[in-house]
């Protein structure tokens, strides 16, 4: 499946069920890979702030996007939340932020 097909499929799933967290997450990941960061951030905000998912990957990804945008406070908040949900992320996050 192409990235565009995955986005279309996720968008259809969201239209059918606006609370479909898996579809938002899938679409956000693909949008990030396609460097469509504003659209990805909208999906991640929906997941974190509206649907209130407890998914470390969502907060880690949003934290990374926030850091890249210069929002250090928001990035730190998201990374803390990601670590609260999955303490095993510490090793990965240490390496990720050392390179920036």
């Amino acid at each position: 499946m192409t990235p565009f097909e995955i986005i279309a499929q996720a968008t259809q799933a969201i239209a059918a069920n606006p609370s479909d967290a898996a579809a938002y997450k899938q679409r956000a990941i693909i949008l990030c890979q396609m460097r469509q960061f504003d659209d990805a951030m909208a999906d991640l905000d929906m997941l974190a702030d509206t649907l209130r998912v407890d998914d470390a990957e969502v907060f880690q990804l949003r934290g990374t996007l926030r850091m890249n945008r210069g929002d250090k406070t928001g990035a730190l908040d998201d990374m803390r939340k990601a670590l609260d949900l999955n303490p095993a992320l510490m090793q990965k996050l240490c390496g990720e932020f050392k390179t920036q």
Side-chain angles (χ1 to χ4, degrees):
M1 223 182 226
T2 70
F4 297 105
E5 291 170 331
I6 295 169
I7 289 172
Q9 185 180 46
T11 301
Q12 287 176 346
I14 292 165
N17 178 7
S19 298
D20 188 341
Y24 279 106
K25 182 178 174 181
Q26 182 180 40
R27 189 170 71 177
I29 290 169
I30 298 298
L31 288 167
C32 281
Q33 292 170 353
M34 296 175 67
R35 305 188 63 76
Q36 293 183 16
F37 300 124
D38 290 340
D39 293 333
M41 184 64 87
D43 282 352
L44 294 168
D45 286 343
M46 174 63 86
L47 286 164
D49 301 333
T50 303
L51 298 177
R52 301 210 182 270
V53 299
D54 282 334
D55 184 326
E57 188 178 13
V58 167
F59 287 96
Q60 178 187 353
L61 185 54
R62 188 170 78 163
T64 300
L65 287 179
R66 284 179 164 181
M67 186 66 163
N68 290 337
R69 289 179 166 191
D71 178 6
K72 292 179 182 179
T73 301
L76 183 59
D77 290 343
D78 281 344
M79 291 302 176
R80 283 185 177 142
K81 177 70 174 180
L83 287 170
D84 285 345
L85 294 169
N86 183 2
L89 287 175
M90 181 58 81
Q91 184 72 21
K92 182 180 180 188
L93 292 177
C94 286
E96 183 175 323
F97 283 97
K98 278 184 187 175
T99 61
Q100 293 188 6

